[in-house]
Amino acid sequence: MRNCHTRRRLLSVGLLSLIAVFGFLLLLGTPPALAGLDDDRFDGNIFALYGGNGSLVPPRIDLAGTLKRNKPALLVFYIEDSSDCKKFAPTISQLQQPYGRAAGFIPVNIDSLPPESPEPTEPGYYYEGLVPQTVVIDQEGKVVFNETGQVSYEQVDDVMRKVFDLLPRAESVELKRRMYNEISSELSSEGS
């Protein structure tokens, strides 16, 4: 009887060892990444991976709340598995630096849109079927910019400057982030 117990134990230990070795060999043969910037495969939150700003998703405030507070809103319609959206994510992160506190930044994954959005307080109301799509809504709730595809930082910045009644970029001092320790930063003029 004791001999039978020992054989069963040896068989189960041997089987577990074989499974472990087989699993390890499978891991060795797996490529490190199956998605990238230039393909249309899903690889996670595009704002965290490619824009360096995972705090955009989920948005801090919804469109209805932004409009209720009479704040401008920047809607960005995207999908996680689009190379165009992946390449556009850094532009949105860059725009959030100067305007993120004064405007509602609302990235909208189109996969999460309800089938019908008839109300102007719902993001789906503005979606036109292509990604990326960028929509800027001013303080009065009027659409002042609506473009599909990758638009430049400067195009959206020009619109935001008009919305906030700021000087044009050519007449303004450029603001840059100045790091004064690893954690904190502040906006300052270039000469500071």
Side-chain angles (χ1 to χ4, degrees), residues 17-96:
S17 298
L18 183 63
I19 291 171
V21 168
F22 183 70
F24 181 72
L25 290 174
L26 280 176
L27 287 176
L28 283 177
T30 304
L34 298 175
L37 182 62
D38 295 322
D39 62 40
D40 291 332
R41 293 188 204 140
F42 174 79
D43 54 353
N45 179 338
I46 62 172
F47 295 102
L49 292 170
Y50 301 108
N53 189 352
S55 70
L56 283 167
V57 178
R60 292 182 186 158
I61 189 167
D62 64 1
L63 181 58
T66 301
L67 296 174
K68 187 176 180 180
R69 293 179 181 170
N70 295 324
K71 291 175 69 171
L74 185 135
L75 297 170
V76 178
F77 296 95
Y78 73 97
I79 53 176
E80 303 277 9
D81 56 356
S82 161
S83 62
D84 290 336
C85 293
K86 291 176 185 180
K87 291 174 185 171
F88 189 54
T91 303
I92 299 306
S93 292
Q94 186 181 5
L95 284 162
Q96 189 191 26

Side-chain angles (χ1 to χ4, degrees), residues 132-154:
Q133 179 186 349
T134 307
V135 178
V136 177
I137 302 169
D138 69 8
Q139 295 91 327
E140 287 121 31
K142 295 178 190 166
V143 175
V144 293
F145 184 81
N146 187 353
E147 292 289 326
T148 56
Q150 295 183 38
V151 294
S152 70
Y153 171 87
E154 290 78 16

Side-chain angles (χ1 to χ4, degrees), residues 5-23:
H5 241 62
T6 306
R7 282 187 188 155
R8 283 186 187 161
R9 181 176 270 168
L10 285 175
L11 280 175
S12 61
V13 169
L15 185 60
L16 286 174
S17 298
L18 183 63
I19 291 171
V21 168
F22 183 70

